[in-house]
Amino acid sequence: MPAQVIPLASSELDNLIRLWTRETILSNSALLLDCKELDTNDPARLNAIARFMECTKGFLIVTSQERIGLSQRLVVNFDVHQPTIKEQGAVWQDALGAIAPQMNGRGLGISALFASASGTGKTLGAEVLAQKLRLDRYRIDLSSVVSKYIGETEKNLRRVFDAAEQGGVILLFDEADALFGKRSEVKDPRDHYANIEVSYLLQRMESYSGLAVLTTNLKSSIDTAFLRRIRFVVQFPFPDTTQRAEIWRRVFPANTPTADLDALKLARLNVAGGNIRNIALTCSFYSCRCWGTSADETCVAGCSGRIYQVRETFN
């Protein structure tokens, strides 16, 4: 049970304690209380969680980033550390057996920078890479990571990297220049703490054991210390006329009536693939007066479900 769901109201908390006590007696179960995402700046929440742990009966296992002490209950603490590179290698070797060659070197992860103008397929390339490797892709949401409060950005980044290492996912830093920008000369306290954030990110990137992909439209804005540690830099070219024509041929779903579209003529428009997709989607909306009808309804123009199919495909 995540600790965030423990109610703050006294009556609701007492009811939860009573229900779990009944459950543990009837089913002989243990409870795992997940406190890893606990907000230490919320005293009301901390008090409710402490009361629940003190009063609930039965066997209780608590996972947390920091040790939690209780005065009314015996607590046995175990420090669970991240497996070392050698230990991870042994697990992989045991799982894969003879088909796995003997490795483990420095054991550092792989980082790649996708750089080019907007709309040339950098984010799409990361998605294709994740699909080919059969890995989940975790896109970093800057709004949930960067904080105006001192030290909070580093905490958020730590959670991101810890979760990514445990889950074995591809980390995608979209518009990476916002996080990996060049460190500036310290002129006021804000510059000092901003540089600390970049330095922390630099350390975590160097020790991260997974695959991280960075995308940027402004390669020159990336801190040189990051560029030095990135193993692969892939420049996505702006599509030429032939490539744009091929994008136009493939951008519409197979059943879309595109017989009258001249891909070569459309390719004269000097835009990237992302812009072509937006143009195609907008044209699909405007091409049908029955926008908003369901897939099994027939409009005056006789295009039953056609625009519905286009919308679902692009989604």
Side-chain angles (χ1 to χ4, degrees), residues 136 162-169:
D136 290 330
D162 288 348
E165 287 178 332
Q166 294 172 7
V169 302

Side-chain angles (χ1 to χ4, degrees), residues 251-263:
V251 73
F252 291 100
N255 294 333
T256 306
T258 58
D260 296 331
L261 291 181
D262 189 340

Side-chain angles (χ1 to χ4, degrees), residues 253 277 281 284-285 291 293-295 305-315:
R277 177 194 178 278
L281 181 59
S284 300
F285 292 159
W291 173 248
T293 61
S294 62
R306 182 181 300 161
I307 198 66
Y308 179 87
Q309 178 193 11
V310 172
R311 178 174 59 181
E312 291 301 307
T313 302
F314 278 101
N315 286 341

Side-chain angles (χ1 to χ4, degrees), residues 137-209:
R137 175 186 56 86
Y138 187 86
R139 182 178 179 273
I140 307 302
D141 183 2
L142 296 182
S143 63
S144 63
V145 172
V146 179
S147 173
K148 65 179 179 180
Y149 298 106
I150 296 173
E152 286 299 312
T153 300
E154 290 88 332
K155 288 183 180 178
N156 295 334
L157 287 170
R158 183 192 68 181
R159 295 191 187 103
V160 167
F161 279 102
D162 288 348
E165 287 178 332
Q166 294 172 7
V169 302
I170 292 181
L171 275 181
L172 173 59
F173 291 90
D174 225 353
E175 307 296 340
D177 44 282
L179 269 179
F180 296 81
K182 293 181 178 179
R183 285 166 286 190
S184 59
E185 180 183 354
V186 177
K187 296 181 180 178
D188 56 46
R190 288 175 297 182
D191 295 333
H192 173 71
Y193 289 111
N195 287 347
I196 289 178
E197 292 176 3
V198 176
S199 299
Y200 174 79
L201 187 56
L202 181 64
Q203 294 173 7
R204 284 310 303 255
M205 280 293 296
E206 190 169 27
S207 62
Y208 178 57
S209 59

Side-chain angles (χ1 to χ4, degrees), residues 126-135 170:
E127 295 173 354
V128 172
L129 183 62
Q131 186 177 22
K132 287 294 185 181
L133 295 176
R134 297 182 180 179
L135 295 174
I170 292 181

